[in-house]
Amino acid sequence: MSDLNCEWLVENFGGRNAVVFDIGCADLADSIRFRRFLPDARIYSFEPSPVHQKNNRTLAEEYDIFYYDMAISNRSGTAVFYPGNI
């Protein structure tokens, strides 16, 4: 989990039509925190690791998160994904 300052999020984006992109969302933990602190935001989460896909699809539906099992890049195409140990 990252070191999110949720109070700052609410002060700066609460009550607005916020849009959040969680790129490299892993297990959706931060995306779910965004949802809790910014209940009206549109949240888009991206994670290419197949390890998280099944669980993320279920969680995304539960928390009204737009989840995509893909990576974000400045190039089109496919690549081999090598997840880290953490």
Side-chain angles (χ1 to χ4, degrees):
M1 180 174 291
S2 69
D3 189 19
L4 289 174
N5 184 335
C6 293
E7 292 174 14
W8 181 88
L9 286 175
V10 173
E11 288 172 12
N12 290 278
F13 299 102
R16 299 181 183 178
N17 294 326
V19 177
V20 176
F21 292 93
D22 188 359
I23 300 171
C25 66
D27 61 1
L28 285 178
D30 286 337
S31 296
I32 292 168
R33 287 181 71 199
F34 290 136
R35 171 59 65 224
R36 289 184 178 140
F37 285 90
L38 301 170
D40 298 325
R42 290 182 60 93
I43 301 171
Y44 298 89
S45 301
F46 302 85
E47 176 56 50
S49 174
V51 172
H52 298 291
Q53 288 176 6
K54 184 178 179 182
N55 192 50
N56 281 359
R57 285 187 187 114
T58 301
L59 287 172
E61 188 173 322
E62 180 180 342
Y63 288 95
D64 192 27
I65 295 168
F66 297 93
Y67 170 70
Y68 300 90
D69 55 355
M70 63 179 66
I72 299 296
S73 175
N74 63 341
R75 299 181 192 174
S76 295
T78 60
V80 177
F81 182 72
Y82 298 100
N85 293 331
I86 57 172

